[in-house]
Amino acid sequence: MSDQVNFGDELVSPEEKTRRVGAVFSSVARRYDAMNDLMSGGMHRLWKDRFVNRVKPRAGDDILDMAGGTGDVAFRMARRGAHVTVSDINADMLEVGEERARQRGLTGLEWKVENAEALTFGNAVFDAYTIVFGIRNVTDIPAALREAHRVLKRGGRFYCMEFSSSDWPGFANLYEAWASNVIPRIGKAIANDEASYRYLVESIRRFPRPEAFKRMVAEAGFVRAAAEPMLGGLVTIHSGWKI
Ligand code: SAM
């Protein structure tokens, strides 16, 4: 891991990045779900439905939903009968998630503060590992991928959904204008927190392109690493298999 890493467009030490990412999500936790709807025009719900359809959780599966935040993806998988452990580095996000689970009468989920880079779980304990809109916030991404591989059983599946910059002509410019100008303004107007939302946009722009991330997934030991673009490449589902 190098001495300096990007926090959005700024270069900081790895420790400082982890601290600042923590501050961003503590600051947005209470408004996180409403802001997701507002910023994506409700699309994040469709992306998450599509993602869970790809994961195909079954009754009896043990799934680790990493960087699971307020539980959106975990709830969808638990409703299909999977046993889901929701882990996140940020206790404020998990607290909102647990409250939402109670309101929905969803039981059987486990909530655990964990850093994706250094998990406390044993080797080969999960059937699937999911991480949605989380990995770009992790300071040492190769370390998180190695940990994902370690905690999966043989035959276990890795699934990640992340934003990717669109290459579609016209669409790419439209998205760039929305991301750079509109999202931070919504953050300022609704949450009085322009900086956090500016970080979210910059972190999306800095995340590796799908082909580069696919190589990172393969380097962590996964076979059949694949990158499946959705919506003109705005969002990509990555997957891999542990043998
Ligand atoms: N997966 C949820 C969803 O799609 O609604 C939450 C995504 S939210 C954009 C990103 C989450 O990544 C935050 O809850 C943040 O705390 C978490 N995160 C960032 N760095 C992490 C790390 N090193 N380990 C675990 N979680 C991390």
Side-chain angles (χ1 to χ4, degrees):
M1 169 110 278
S2 54
D3 291 348
Q4 298 271 283
V5 292
N6 275 97
F7 172 79
D9 289 345
E10 212 182 317
L11 277 175
V12 297
S13 71
E15 298 74 25
E16 177 66 5
K17 171 169 176 162
T18 305
R19 194 194 63 73
R20 288 205 201 175
V21 168
V24 163
F25 286 103
S26 289
S27 157
V28 305
R30 294 267 147 205
R31 296 189 192 87
Y32 178 75
D33 298 294
M35 290 299 277
N36 262 353
D37 274 334
L38 206 58
M39 290 184 312
S40 73
M43 299 254 280
H44 73 108
R45 294 168 185 257
L46 304 176
W47 297 332
K48 287 169 181 167
D49 286 345
R50 171 99 177 254
F51 176 79
V52 170
N53 283 340
R54 283 282 285 113
V55 176
K56 294 188 186 67
R58 287 170 308 192
D61 277 351
D62 260 315
I63 302 182
L64 175 60
D65 184 39
M66 197 63 226
T70 59
D72 252 11
V73 173
F75 296 166
R76 285 169 169 77
M77 299 194 292
R79 283 197 194 101
R80 297 195 184 193
H83 176 259
V84 186
T85 304
V86 194
S87 287
D88 198 287
I89 200 167
N90 193 305
D92 295 324
M93 291 289 278
L94 290 180
E95 200 182 299
V96 174
E98 284 194 71
E99 200 176 299
R100 293 173 80 214
R102 267 194 301 278
Q103 285 161 2
R104 288 167 169 71
L106 273 170
T107 52
L109 288 146
E110 277 179 51
W111 302 85
K112 200 157 185 287
V113 173
E114 289 276 338
N115 182 349
E117 297 167 15
L119 301 175
T120 64
F121 304 106
N123 295 343
V125 287
F126 294 103
D127 298 296
Y129 174 109
T130 55
I131 183 161
V132 171
F133 303 137
I135 201 137
R136 71 172 192 279
N137 300 293
V138 171
T139 307
D140 188 347
I141 293 176
L145 293 173
R146 285 193 299 273
E147 280 292 81
H149 190 270
R150 181 182 69 75
V151 299
L152 278 170
K153 296 176 188 168
R154 285 176 78 161
R157 295 154 294 147
F158 166 84
Y159 288 104
C160 167
M161 182 159 69
E162 198 43 91
F163 289 104
S164 38
S165 307
S166 173
D167 287 330
W168 276 16
F171 192 57
N173 298 343
L174 202 66
Y175 166 72
E176 190 52 37
W178 172 261
S180 306
N181 303 315
V182 184
I183 290 181
R185 285 193 189 148
I186 295 178
K188 185 171 184 195
I190 309 285
N192 195 22
D193 186 3
E194 187 175 352
S196 292
Y197 290 90
R198 195 164 290 290
Y199 159 74
L200 293 179
V201 171
E202 289 167 1
S203 65
I204 291 170
R205 207 176 288 134
R206 293 220 160 253
F207 188 67
R209 311 282 291 180
E211 280 307 308
F213 187 66
K214 188 168 119 179
R215 279 195 296 278
M216 291 168 80
V217 172
E219 276 160 18
F222 290 102
V223 298
R224 295 204 204 145
E228 183 194 326
M230 300 198 306
L231 269 173
L234 197 53
V235 166
T236 299
I237 296 179
H238 296 269
S239 57
W241 193 37
K242 175 172 174 176
I243 54 169

